[in-house]
Amino acid sequence: MARQQAKARFRPVGDGSKHTSEDTFLREEMQLAFRNRGIPLEALRYPLTPTGMHFLLTHFDVPEVMEESWLLNVGGLVSNPLTLTLAEIKSRPSRTVPVTLECAGNGRALLQPRYISQPWLTEAVSTSEWTGTPLKGILDEAGVSDKAVDILFTGLDQGVQSDIVHYYQRSLNLAEATRDEVLLAYAMNGEDLQPQHGYPLRLIVPGWYGMTSVKWLDSIEAIPRHFDGYQMDQTYRYTVSADRPGEPVTTIRVRSLMVPPGIPEFLTRTRLVKAGQITVSGRAWAGRQSVSRVEFSDDDGMSWRDAELGEQVGEFAWIAWSYRWDAKAGRRFLRVRATDSDGNVQPSAQPWTLLGMGNNMTQRVEVIVSKPAPC
Amino acid sequence: MARQQAKARFRPVGDGSKHTSEDTFLREEMQLAFRNRGIPLEALRYPLTPTGMHFLLTHFDVPEVMEESWLLNVGGLVSNPLTLTLAEIKSRPSRTVPVTLECAGNGRALLQPRYISQPWLTEAVSTSEWTGTPLKGILDEAGVSDKAVDILFTGLDQGVQSDIVHYYQRSLNLAEATRDEVLLAYAMNGEDLQPQHGYPLRLIVPGWYGMTSVKWLDSIEAIPRHFDGYQMDQTYRYTVSADRPGEPVTTIRVRSLMVPPGIPEFLTRTRLVKAGQITVSGRAWAGRQSVSRVEFSDDDGMSWRDAELGEQVGEFAWIAWSYRWDAKAGRRFLRVRATDSDGNVQPSAQPWTLLGMGNNMTQRVEVIVSKPAPC
């Protein structure tokens, strides 16, 4: 089950502690930033993120998978174990769902001190249309036993994390796994999956942070207890101390981002805007909740004004917002914050967690408004 | 010509100097790393990089371009100025060329001290098949005057760099601009350009570092002198001191990379390999030259052995190489180096330059070879 877990020792990073209070970044963090990709914030203009601009978090390497030799194994506590080719999976009923995916560690590098890992600032979110067959149909076909507690998903990506050699594995309990919107997805924005997005098949769990949507699926297994592997119980948890496990990270918290207005300065990404009326726009999302309100501030969060809500791309996808801003000359700090249908509001300062998970602090954009027009 | 160049003041980065000797990275460098994308090194396995895995360097924002309202203007010292729609450009003779593009700043962050800019390590290279119409045909149609010295290319991407507000602009002299392989490209790997790769039209200059292949083309202008705009004369130069201009950066220097063997440790990307015979492979390239030799080292460059050369993807694209390595237990530092047809060999230590350009130092991959098999 937690197959091929073994120990291996690697050199320590930085001073050997797992956190840093420095405002600068380690070489290992930079290396991860180049492998893992954020959405350029101007791409928030698209309701569906162009495939090549979608954010990416890959724990290990993108595996090389040949369709000819690939099979999905569905087993464990089932009465009818399945071994399916991609063509067989594509012949099952299909569904297309627009889904906003966000990495659970988005915003990690804004915490102080921060956990040394993928150092996301604000950009680990995107929306695509995913096509696949509902997982529920496949589980029904396999006949899951009533002794099953979790459904375990194993990817073909293998590596070492916290000295444990393992394949990437996550589970869902039976109730979550059999929700209508959970897909075994083989297409993204109408095309076969690209290798880095999980070709040939990945799980898509709408509403949840991205770690649950296991890529490069190899097997699905019904198991008689909660899965406690590394990616489940030793990371992706809300905790403030190493000796307490904390709650598991599950669905996406309410959050919003703006397309930074005007034009950028290359190095600082500070924006240059000419004074006058401009429309600032962006997207907001809230996992399984809906977004009930979006507010805009041009004084770094001292005061807030209601933005206008636009089209929601789908039940599990972001909603557009816009605000007609009267930009007055000077240095401004813009912020945006969203409220979900349960009344949760994005915080202006992020509560600290050990692993830097679920950070939904309001975005801050520095703008120089100049008059007369600089451009 | 150098239209809308103006001055604007932005806050300094770091201690205000343009270089740092720290081994850690500034927040602004990290922010750039998330916008600009490296190739994950395992993607060197593909002769043509999947579009969504191609490296990206965007100075400013990806502009939003609508095909309906977009036009290419060809003017300046020409007898027959042209205004062309995308459909008109697509109706001209077309050519498809596989091209290895590399960012001129690749390897910058391995220098000490380093210039504070996009902090590439080794990953700013990729290969695609580009389709377009030869620029020469368009220039012939426009009738370039014999008074023309440079052909100036202007993109739709605007921003501020070194306090200068400008659109991205680069030029080529007439001899370079009229080479057969220079394309006005509208397709990448057989599909319309994605927004981040220059939709709807970009220049592709095979053999040159990527800064010359101007994206989101707005205009092409024949001008009577050498273009001296910011992106031409104030950056992209080989220089060792701020008071000497140095030589301009032009074609790509010989370089090679390996697919890191085995499996990665998440944070350090150190590799875990089991002892025994394994094939290490990768790609090598040399701009307009060909690659005559690739060598492999498993002792950090103390000794070198010839690798086998494989298929070259195209005249201006990388060549495959492989080496049958007998991996012996212990910690190893692997290196690969290529030699071009002019006898240039990749250095083991990079000569320092002020802006960190054209760095082709040999790649170094840390591997732990374990016995018995860890996985």
Side-chain angles (χ1 to χ4, degrees), chain A residues 81-216:
Chain A
L82 304 170
T83 303
L84 300 169
T85 65
L86 187 61
E88 286 167 341
I89 293 164
K90 287 183 174 175
S91 73
R92 300 311 194 259
S94 84
R95 206 178 146 183
T96 296
V97 186
V99 180
T100 295
L101 283 181
E102 182 176 10
C103 185
N106 203 7
R108 172 179 293 131
L110 302 172
L111 296 181
Q112 175 70 347
R114 73 177 181 278
Y115 184 56
I116 299 172
S117 180
Q118 167 69 21
W120 293 120
L121 299 166
T122 59
E123 59 292 277
V125 65
S126 300
T127 299
S128 277
E129 234 171 28
W130 299 92
T131 301
T133 193
L135 174 63
K136 186 177 188 315
I138 298 290
L139 293 178
D140 286 349
E141 210 175 315
V144 176
S145 154
D146 56 13
K147 294 199 181 67
V149 169
D150 267 16
I151 305 294
L152 175 63
F153 305 91
T154 303
L156 288 162
D157 45 330
Q158 189 193 22
V160 189
Q161 209 167 347
S162 292
D163 293 336
I164 301 166
V165 178
H166 62 288
Y167 284 89
Y168 190 87
Q169 292 185 303
R170 292 272 312 175
S171 76
L172 286 171
N173 68 35
L174 214 51
E176 287 291 330
T178 53
R179 283 175 64 103
D180 288 343
E181 69 270 16
V182 179
L183 295 183
L184 297 177
Y186 44 76
M188 178 182 183
N189 294 334
E191 315 233 328
D192 282 353
L193 299 184
Q194 294 198 349
Q196 72 277 21
H197 287 293
Y199 179 86
L201 192 76
R202 69 177 295 176
L203 189 64
I204 288 288
V205 188
W208 280 61
Y209 282 112
M211 75 285 172
T212 300
S213 291
V214 178
K215 297 192 278 279
W216 311 291

Side-chain angles (χ1 to χ4, degrees), chain A residues 4 6 8-13 22-42 45-46 50-65 109-110 114 116-121 123 158-163 165 191 194-196 260 262-272 331 366 368 374-375, chain B residues 4 6 8-13 22-42 45-46 50-65 109-110 114 116-121 123 158-163 165 191 194-196 260 262-272 331 366 368 374-375:
Chain A
Q4 303 183 359
R9 281 268 154 222
F10 291 85
R11 65 178 167 77
V13 166
E22 300 296 323
D23 192 46
T24 54
F25 292 85
L26 298 169
R27 188 163 292 263
E28 288 81 4
E29 292 175 295
M30 181 58 73
Q31 202 168 243
L32 283 175
F34 278 125
R35 285 187 56 75
N36 296 312
R37 303 178 152 195
I39 188 174
L41 294 179
E42 65 272 27
R45 71 167 77 106
Y46 307 106
T51 302
M53 298 172 98
H54 197 287
F55 92 90
L56 271 177
L57 188 285
T58 307
H59 284 247
F60 306 130
D61 285 0
V62 174
E64 184 167 26
V65 187
L110 302 172
R114 73 177 181 278
I116 299 172
S117 180
Q118 167 69 21
W120 293 120
L121 299 166
E123 59 292 277
Q158 189 193 22
V160 189
Q161 209 167 347
S162 292
D163 293 336
V165 178
E191 315 233 328
Q194 294 198 349
Q196 72 277 21
I263 60 171
E265 200 264 336
F266 173 71
L267 199 52
T268 58
R269 308 315 283 189
T270 299
R271 314 297 300 192
L272 191 58
R331 185 177 297 259
E366 184 181 353
I368 296 174
C375 50
Chain B
Q4 303 182 2
R9 281 268 154 223
F10 290 85
R11 67 178 165 77
V13 167
E22 299 295 324
D23 192 46
T24 55
F25 293 86
L26 298 169
R27 187 162 293 264
E28 289 80 3
E29 292 175 295
M30 182 58 73
Q31 202 167 243
L32 284 175
F34 278 125
R35 286 188 54 75
N36 297 314
R37 303 177 153 197
I39 188 175
L41 294 180
E42 64 272 27
R45 72 166 77 106
Y46 306 106
T51 303
M53 298 172 99
H54 197 287
F55 92 91
L56 272 176
L57 189 284
T58 308
H59 283 247
F60 306 130
D61 285 1
V62 174
E64 185 168 25
V65 186
L110 301 173
R114 71 176 183 277
I116 299 172
S117 181
Q118 169 68 22
W120 293 121
L121 300 167
E123 59 292 276
Q158 189 193 22
V160 190
Q161 209 166 346
S162 292
D163 293 336
V165 178
E191 314 233 330
Q194 294 199 349
Q196 72 276 21
I263 60 171
E265 199 265 337
F266 172 71
L267 198 53
T268 57
R269 306 316 282 189
T270 300
R271 314 297 299 194
L272 191 58
R331 184 175 299 259
E366 185 182 353
I368 296 174
C375 52

Side-chain angles (χ1 to χ4, degrees), chain B residues 246-280:
Chain B
E247 289 301 306
V249 175
T250 58
T251 55
I252 298 174
R253 291 175 170 176
V254 62
R255 197 154 172 261
S256 56
L257 288 173
M258 75 182 83
V259 176
I263 60 171
E265 199 265 337
F266 172 71
L267 198 53
T268 57
R269 306 316 282 189
T270 300
R271 314 297 299 194
L272 191 58
V273 168
K274 61 178 178 178
Q277 292 278 333
I278 66 163
T279 299
V280 181

Side-chain angles (χ1 to χ4, degrees), chain A residues 201-278:
Chain A
L201 192 76
R202 69 177 295 176
L203 189 64
I204 288 288
V205 188
W208 280 61
Y209 282 112
M211 75 285 172
T212 300
S213 291
V214 178
K215 297 192 278 279
W216 311 291
L217 269 182
D218 180 44
S219 72
I220 299 175
E221 195 182 347
I223 60 173
R225 59 188 169 276
H226 168 74
F227 173 65
D228 62 358
Y230 177 78
Q231 301 291 346
M232 202 71 193
D233 278 11
Q234 292 175 59
T235 184
Y236 294 115
R237 303 194 77 94
Y238 294 114
T239 177
V240 291
S241 115
D243 55 14
R244 281 185 299 181
E247 289 299 307
V249 175
T250 58
T251 57
I252 298 174
R253 291 175 169 174
V254 63
R255 197 152 171 259
S256 56
L257 287 173
M258 74 183 83
V259 175
I263 60 171
E265 200 264 336
F266 173 71
L267 199 52
T268 58
R269 308 315 283 189
T270 299
R271 314 297 300 192
L272 191 58
V273 168
K274 61 178 181 178
Q277 292 278 333
I278 65 162

Side-chain angles (χ1 to χ4, degrees), chain A residues 307-318:
Chain A
E308 202 170 312
L309 293 178
E311 184 207 4
Q312 183 169 357
V313 173
E315 186 186 348
F316 300 102
W318 55 28

